[in-house]
């Protein structure tokens, strides 16, 4: 702990009081998250809360006891606490990761070196917990974001290009709906084929009972079953040991009942889910994004008003998905939102310019 300060300035005391309330608020966030978890994750979160309590005690000591009046926690900390009570753990941990990375103690002369180091370790701990959640979420989240963004960008580009040629509002609406349906069906079909093919490949490399009935007749000390395991990438010594164990078990079994080996799970096996479920999800994700550029024409707008409204709606959606990806990936949300916006609007601008050129040449 740092040495006592003989005569801290009012500015020092205000800063320490702010640190104190922020540490308490962060500890509450970790305890709220821990209350919704079990096992190791719960223990880690509670230990993080205890560590924040040690930092809190440091500032109380410098202040000479509990102040009579305390400021409000910072806006970021209050938002984090509010979200911790209402949103999923993955989202909150991603925000907490960003918060821990912005430790104010690096340039704080009255923070101990141990506190500075603690904050850096906390960032890595929260980053690790958030990574666990991202791994659990990655497949569904990736499909949702990519599907919705494909729908947003491709259908916006389509209606912008068609609209720029000067055709009527009904034709633009029909083109947008056709693009929605065609794109969603294409996404669904592609996902169905991909998942079904992946499952078939896994099944082809998984457990086979082709040799099970012959296992009791193999020689315990001289057989080729070990080669089966070696062909699957298992080391020679482990393959021989496993083969002896399997043959011995088969020979000890009741010979009057056909022997079936317990199913083995390949180490590289990947759970891919159902093909129909993946296809349906892809269809819905793409359609949810693709319908947004068409909404102005669905509600009767025409011409420049419809184009402007489509750009505004899609811009908001692109920035929202970009910011969400940024938060969950631990990156800066605003930068990711602007990048997503630039990509979508760039595609729309190119097709709109082509539509104008085509419309003029036809005229």
């Amino acid at each position: 702990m740092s040495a006592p300060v003989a005569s801290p300035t009012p500015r020092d005391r205000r800063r320490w009081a702010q640190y104190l309330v922020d540490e308490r608020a962060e500890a509450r966030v970790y305890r709220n998250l821990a209350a919704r978890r079990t096992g190791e994750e719960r223990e880690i979160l509670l230990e993080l809360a205890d560590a924040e309590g040690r930092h809190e005690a440091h500032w109380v000591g410098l202040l000479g006891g509990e102040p009579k009046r305390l400021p409000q926690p910072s806006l970021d900390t209050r938002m984090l606490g509010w979200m911790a009570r209402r949103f999923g753990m993955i989202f909150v941990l991603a925000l907490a990761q960003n918060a821990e990375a912005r430790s104010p103690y690096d340039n704080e002369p009255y923070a101990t070196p141990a506190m500075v180091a603690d904050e850096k370790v906390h960032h890595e701990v929260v980053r690790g917990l958030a990574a666990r959640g991202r791994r659990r979420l990655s497949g569904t989240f990736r499909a949702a974001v990519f599907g919705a963004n494909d729908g947003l960008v491709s259908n916006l580009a389509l209606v912008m290009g068609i609209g720029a040629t000067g055709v009527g509002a009904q034709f633009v609406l029909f083109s947008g709906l056709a693009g929605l349906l065609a794109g969603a069906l294409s996404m669904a079909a592609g996902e169905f084929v991909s998942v079904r093919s992946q499952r078939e490949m896994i099944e082809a490399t998984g457990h086979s009972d082709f040799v099970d009935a012959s296992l009791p007749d193999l020689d315990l000390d001289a057989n080729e079953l070990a080669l089966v395991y070696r062909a699957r990438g298992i080391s020679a010594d482990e393959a021989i040991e496993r083969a002896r164990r399997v043959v011995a078990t088969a020979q000890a079994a009741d010979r009057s009942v056909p022997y079936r080996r317990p199913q083995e799970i390949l180490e590289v096996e990947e759970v891919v889910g159902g093909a129909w479920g993946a296809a349906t999800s892809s269809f819905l994700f793409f359609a949810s994004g693709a319908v947004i550029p068409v909404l102005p024409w669905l509600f009767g707008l025409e011409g420049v008003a419809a184009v402007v409204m489509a750009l505004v709606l899609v811009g908001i959606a692109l920035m929202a998905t970009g910011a969400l990806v940024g938060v969950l990936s631990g990156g800066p949300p605003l930068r990711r939102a602007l990048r997503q916006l630039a990509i979508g609007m760039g595609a729309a601008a190119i097709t709109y310019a082509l539509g104008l050129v085509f419309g003029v040449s036809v005229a």
Side-chain angles (χ1 to χ4, degrees):
M1 185 174 292
S2 60
V5 181
S7 55
T9 66
R11 183 177 180 181
D12 288 333
R13 297 184 64 85
R14 287 194 299 271
R15 191 173 68 254
W16 299 342
Q18 188 66 59
Y19 292 150
L20 171 61
V21 296
D22 285 344
E23 293 286 7
R24 285 179 177 172
E26 288 176 12
R28 283 195 298 272
V29 168
Y30 292 134
R31 290 194 177 95
N32 286 335
L33 292 175
R36 296 153 60 180
R37 309 302 295 177
T38 58
E40 186 181 40
E41 286 188 355
R42 175 183 172 85
E43 294 175 8
I44 292 171
L45 288 164
L46 289 175
E47 289 193 27
L48 283 175
D50 291 341
E52 302 292 4
R54 293 195 300 271
H55 297 177
E56 172 191 337
H58 171 81
W59 301 118
V60 171
L62 283 181
L63 288 164
E66 184 74 19
K68 293 182 179 179
R69 297 184 62 183
L70 287 170
Q72 288 288 326
S74 64
L75 179 60
D76 289 349
T77 308
R78 276 183 284 165
M79 287 183 60
L80 192 60
W82 182 82
M83 291 177 180
R85 296 189 296 271
R86 291 168 175 80
F87 291 94
M89 183 170 175
I90 298 170
F91 187 72
V92 177
L93 283 174
L95 290 174
Q97 175 185 333
N98 288 333
E100 293 286 3
R102 299 190 301 269
S103 171
Y105 296 160
D106 289 339
N107 300 312
E108 173 53 60
Y110 296 106
T112 67
M115 291 170 64
V116 176
D118 281 349
E119 292 297 317
K120 296 186 184 303
V121 172
H122 292 180
H123 172 259
E124 287 303 309
V125 173
V126 174
R127 185 169 179 263
L129 290 174
R132 288 187 180 187
R134 291 187 188 107
R135 284 192 291 270
R136 290 193 291 263
L137 182 69
S138 59
T140 304
F141 177 71
R142 178 178 177 277
V145 171
F146 285 179
N149 272 292
D150 281 350
L152 282 166
V153 175
S154 64
N155 228 27
L156 176 67
L158 176 64
V159 296
M160 290 294 102
I162 295 293
T165 63
V167 298
Q170 290 295 323
F171 191 82
V172 176
L173 175 59
F174 174 79
S175 300
L177 293 176
L180 183 157
L181 187 59
L185 288 172
S186 175
M187 289 283 290
E191 195 69 19
F192 180 89
V193 172
S194 173
V195 173
R196 176 59 64 88
S197 300
Q198 204 168 358
R199 288 178 64 87
E200 290 171 351
M201 285 190 292
I202 289 173
E203 291 169 0
T205 57
H207 170 73
S208 169
D209 60 1
F210 181 76
V211 76
D212 285 1
S214 302
L215 287 175
D217 300 321
L218 291 176
D219 188 309
L220 183 62
D221 297 313
N223 64 74
E224 286 73 45
L225 185 60
L227 299 180
V228 174
Y229 297 115
R230 291 177 65 183
R232 294 180 180 177
I234 298 174
S235 67
D237 291 342
E238 185 181 349
I240 292 171
E241 177 59 32
R242 183 176 295 190
R244 286 181 58 85
R245 188 167 60 248
V246 169
V247 173
T249 303
Q251 290 177 350
D254 184 356
R255 294 297 184 97
S256 63
V257 179
Y259 179 74
R260 290 185 62 84
R261 188 175 12 155
Q263 183 170 350
E264 298 165 355
I265 301 175
L266 293 177
E267 294 178 1
V268 295
E269 184 170 336
E270 179 182 1
V271 178
V272 295
W276 282 109
T280 302
S281 298
S282 293
F283 181 94
L284 294 175
F285 290 144
F286 184 94
S288 67
V291 74
I292 293 176
V294 187
L295 288 177
W297 286 273
L298 276 175
F299 286 99
L301 292 180
E302 299 181 11
V304 176
V307 169
V308 171
M309 181 58 67
L311 290 172
V312 170
L313 292 175
V314 172
I316 293 171
L318 286 170
M319 291 194 70
T321 56
L324 183 59
V325 170
V327 167
L328 291 177
S329 64
L334 181 59
R335 188 183 303 171
R336 300 293 171 85
L338 293 175
R339 182 181 69 181
Q340 205 85 340
L341 180 65
I343 292 171
M345 293 303 159
I350 292 171
T351 54
Y352 188 78
L354 291 174
L356 286 175
V357 172
F358 183 76
V360 169
S361 66
V362 170

